[in-house]
Amino acid sequence: MLRSLEIQATLSTPSTPDHLPHLSWSPTIELSLDCFVCVRVGRTTRLERGAEQAICSSDRDHGPHFAPARIAEFDTAGTSLRAVVEFWWAPFHDAKRDTPATPLSEAPWVRLHLAYQCPLHAAPGTASTQTNLVRPTALRCEHCAAVIATSHEAPAIRLLG
């Protein structure tokens, strides 16, 4: 059955926003989903905005494979992000752990990516935030170590239907 989930995240920027005009959300989401294709729970699934399918990490035995999931909505406003992910889900038991699959696991996990341009070095950089970090977490420029944003709250994930 087709399911949807919503991801929301907000970052705060420093009081001296050297990198703010150059900070943007990247159209890539990594998300833990239960995958009925490889019959495994909690697989890291990589989604790209505009792609009609995702990539499931699977496991060492089977390797990555296409997964029936996509980013249906990707809305940004400054340092806030709202995304809706649609995915196909069917009940099963994990092939290795005999754990039942669920549409949204008890501890859902997501990593959201950002891109920026360092004004001091005129160089591009990337950063990310994810649900399982200790908060607050400062995201720093990889070129000059300036704080480009701070994550005070974990990204929120909720099942829509």
Side-chain angles (χ1 to χ4, degrees):
M1 77 184 73
L2 183 63
R3 306 303 300 254
S4 298
L5 61 82
E6 178 184 64
I7 301 165
Q8 291 186 321
T10 301
L11 302 174
S12 62
T13 54
S15 56
T16 56
D18 294 338
H19 287 77
L20 180 60
H22 309 287
L23 181 67
S24 62
W25 292 99
S26 295
T28 301
I29 297 173
E30 292 172 279
L31 176 66
S32 64
L33 291 174
D34 292 356
C35 179
F36 67 84
V37 176
C38 61
V39 195
R40 298 297 313 277
V41 299
R43 300 293 88 195
T44 298
T45 305
R46 185 176 180 89
L47 301 112
E48 296 284 340
R49 184 175 60 185
E52 289 299 320
Q53 57 196 359
I55 303 291
C56 171
S57 62
S58 190
D59 59 23
R60 283 185 232 139
D61 297 336
H62 299 97
H65 62 83
F66 291 122
R70 71 183 187 98
I71 299 172
E73 295 179 36
F74 192 86
D75 303 315
T76 63
T79 57
S80 294
L81 166 75
R82 178 185 174 274
V84 174
V85 172
E86 293 179 336
F87 60 99
W88 284 96
W89 181 82
F92 65 88
H93 274 75
D94 188 287
K96 289 190 178 180
R97 296 185 181 89
D98 196 33
T99 305
T102 56
L104 184 61
S105 65
E106 290 181 25
W109 174 87
V110 67
R111 178 182 296 133
L112 303 169
H113 298 269
L114 298 115
Y116 61 89
Q117 182 77 15
C118 176
L120 297 177
H121 298 276
T126 60
S128 66
T129 187
Q130 60 194 54
T131 50
N132 59 345
L133 297 176
V134 175
R135 301 286 191 298
T137 297
L139 306 179
R140 296 190 173 274
C141 175
E142 61 192 65
H143 305 291
C144 68
V147 174
I148 58 174
T150 302
S151 174
H152 292 282
E153 294 182 22
I157 306 169
R158 72 182 181 107
L159 193 61
L160 298 175

